Amino acid sequence: MPVPQTKPVVSFDNTAIAFASKSDAELRRMYALFAAMNNKSLVSFGGGLMKKALGWGLPGTKTAVKYTIFQQFCGGETIAECKPVIAELGRYKIGTILDYSVEGEGSEKSFDHTRDELLRTIDLAAGNPHIPFSVFKVTGVADSALLEKVQAGKALTAAEQTSYDRALERVDAICRRAHEKQVRVFVDAEESWFQTTIDDLARDMMRRYNRERAIVWNTYQLYRHDRLDGLRHDYELGVAEGYYVGAKLVRGAYMEKEARTATQRGYQNPINPSKQATDDLYNEALRFSVEHIDRLAICAGTHNEDSSRLLAELMAEHDIAPGDERMWFAQLYGMSDNLSYNLAHAGYNTAKYVPYGPVEAVMPYLLRRADENTAISGQSSREFMLIQREMQRRKQSGR
């Protein structure tokens, strides 16, 4: 019988570990940035202004963005620019998940370009122990309208079928390269009105490439009330058909859009009725995953301290070593360093999502990040408080 834990398996309060990689000057820069992000009006007005200024090509705008919010949340404009970030995170035993965050133009040419860029991230990961995963959005290589039409069961025209077949080839090319190079790859979750199509594609890729281990990982947004059922279903299929299931567990990223679309289209909102319901479902998904680790590999993609602590405790209760390759924690670059650095310091497999791409093209991602930081209960305030605490600690201790 498992022995009850008498003390936390890992602590997230050690700011000396959390900010070990940051100089005093870097801490001061972060302090100023998160202080600004605590002001919702400033974020809303300033974000829109920055986007317009970049569009107009105003001198100095790109530099101002690149060395403030871009520097905080992105690794660079190119893979090459990300290499110092990869090495720095690696020094602290934190992996990098390179996330090409350019939102495509919707053309076949842009989809091909994104596929080729993703293949380059896989090739780099194959030769670098500090890059444990690659990641892609299906809408980066496929038209979302086609994905939606397929989910709705509508017939495609000949031209649409040709485009869809090309999209399937791109998805397979990415997953095939990942399998050849033995690099894990996340398939990101997206909006519910075409997520079933994405789930079907991810499942097909798992059948094809997850026979020996979990190479392809699907993403489950637990703010949807049906996603734990989806995870259970996928596990049962994996057992029945003899393949491994990779599962990245997140809370979700499209809550307002999902609610708005459900109202507009007249169907039930797929989002849980409360944050507590989402938290409970997320934690139940962690429990299910740990109890079925025979066929599951999981990544807890979360900034939630309680869920991160729970997973560490569940691993201890089930005698799963912190470094077990089937168990991962992940957070976004530039956020929740108290989780990432303390988990990695305690020996848990930990990685950061590191977005990259040209400043102008990554702006939509950055504006969402800023909006989310003001919207998530206490997120920017918590980051601000932790930075403040570490600055005070250094002042008192001399470092």
Side-chain angles (χ1 to χ4, degrees):
M1 185 173 179
V3 178
Q5 294 295 308
T6 56
K7 63 179 181 178
V9 179
V10 60
S11 170
F12 300 128
D13 296 327
N14 191 322
T15 59
I17 291 175
F19 299 109
S21 67
K22 301 294 187 291
S23 67
D24 291 347
E26 287 171 323
L27 270 186
R28 287 193 295 270
R29 177 184 59 77
M30 291 169 65
Y31 177 89
L33 181 63
F34 279 105
M37 289 171 67
N38 269 328
N39 187 325
K40 191 166 186 176
S41 297
L42 179 61
V43 168
S44 179
F45 174 76
L49 192 62
M50 279 194 300
K51 191 173 181 181
K52 287 180 181 177
L54 281 169
W56 294 333
L58 293 182
T61 304
K62 179 176 176 178
T63 299
V65 172
K66 186 166 184 177
Y67 293 101
T68 52
I69 188 170
F70 182 91
Q71 186 179 51
Q72 179 66 27
F73 296 115
C74 297
E77 293 196 76
T78 64
I79 291 176
E81 282 190 15
C82 291
K83 288 182 178 180
V85 171
I86 296 167
E88 180 66 14
L89 289 172
R91 280 183 56 208
Y92 294 90
K93 300 179 181 178
I94 297 172
T96 291
I97 305 166
L98 286 174
D99 183 10
Y100 184 56
S101 293
V102 174
E103 302 194 353
E105 303 165 358
S107 67
E108 295 295 319
K109 182 178 179 181
S110 72
F111 293 147
D112 285 344
H113 173 77
T114 298
R115 174 205 57 207
D116 294 344
E117 185 70 17
L118 292 166
L119 293 176
R120 282 191 282 272
T121 68
I122 292 169
D123 289 344
L124 180 64
N128 193 323
H130 300 315
I131 309 177
F133 295 90
S134 288
V135 61
F136 73 101
K137 276 185 166 60
V138 172
T139 54
V141 295
D143 187 337
S144 61
L146 285 182
L147 299 175
E148 183 177 357
K149 196 169 182 179
V150 169
Q151 180 160 316
K154 296 179 180 178
L156 302 183
T157 66
E160 287 174 335
Q161 187 63 55
T162 298
S163 294
Y164 189 62
D165 289 344
R166 288 188 64 179
L168 296 182
E169 288 171 3
R170 294 185 194 101
V171 170
D172 183 68
I174 293 163
C175 296
R176 184 172 65 251
R177 180 72 64 85
H179 180 258
E180 290 169 354
K181 301 285 187 176
Q182 288 294 290
V183 172
R184 308 172 189 90
V185 60
F186 290 140
V187 180
D188 267 349
E190 304 193 53
E191 289 88 342
S192 63
W193 47 95
F194 52 85
Q195 181 61 45
T196 300
T197 309
I198 293 172
D199 291 340
D200 290 342
L201 289 175
R203 208 174 287 117
D204 286 344
M205 295 299 103
M206 286 190 204
R207 286 190 183 99
R208 195 170 298 174
Y209 298 118
N210 286 14
R211 293 291 168 177
E212 297 87 22
R213 61 190 287 246
I215 292 293
V216 179
W217 299 45
N218 199 14
T219 302
Y220 300 81
Q221 299 189 103
L222 275 305
Y223 69 176
R224 280 182 52 177
H225 56 72
D226 61 345
R227 289 299 81 199
L228 177 53
D229 290 339
L231 176 62
R232 287 174 173 143
H233 173 258
D234 286 347
Y235 166 79
E236 289 166 3
L237 273 181
V239 171
E241 299 183 21
Y243 62 86
Y244 293 87
V245 175
K248 176 159 66 81
L249 308 180
V250 301
R251 277 170 167 77
Y254 307 99
M255 186 165 65
E256 292 179 4
K257 189 175 183 181
E258 289 282 0
R260 185 171 63 250
T261 303
T263 299
Q264 291 170 349
R265 300 187 182 185
Y267 60 79
Q268 182 186 0
N269 187 352
I271 306 301
N272 287 316
S274 67
K275 182 182 183 301
Q276 187 60 53
T278 294
D279 290 343
D280 291 345
L281 198 64
Y282 189 93
N283 291 341
E284 187 59 31
L286 292 178
R287 292 186 184 94
F288 175 83
S289 299
V290 170
E291 290 166 2
H292 296 84
I293 201 66
D294 59 317
R295 279 282 163 184
L296 272 175
I298 69 165
C299 175
T302 181
H303 292 186
N304 186 287
E305 291 186 16
D306 291 338
S307 293
S308 299
R309 189 176 295 109
L310 173 63
L311 180 54
E313 290 170 353
L314 289 168
M315 290 172 65
E317 289 170 11
H318 288 78
D319 199 27
I320 299 172
D324 191 304
E325 70 163 16
R326 299 168 296 179
M327 311 292 293
W328 284 82
F329 296 80
Q331 293 80 39
L332 295 171
Y333 183 65
M335 294 171 62
S336 298
D337 286 346
N338 67 311
L339 299 185
S340 307
Y341 283 78
N342 279 295
L343 282 165
H345 184 77
Y348 293 90
N349 293 324
T350 310
K352 287 282 199 184
Y353 255 65
V354 178
Y356 75 96
V359 171
E360 300 87 347
V362 176
M363 274 306 295
Y365 170 86
L366 292 173
L367 293 178
R368 282 198 300 274
R369 192 86 302 112
D371 286 340
E372 286 165 10
N373 269 278
T374 57
I376 296 171
S377 177
Q379 182 64 53
S380 61
S381 296
R382 183 173 57 182
E383 301 283 351
F384 184 63
M385 179 194 69
L386 289 166
I387 294 164
Q388 219 172 13
R389 190 192 303 169
E390 174 59 10
M391 291 172 72
Q392 186 64 27
R393 186 198 68 80
R394 291 186 185 186
K395 185 177 180 181
Q396 292 173 348
S397 68
R399 169 51 181 159

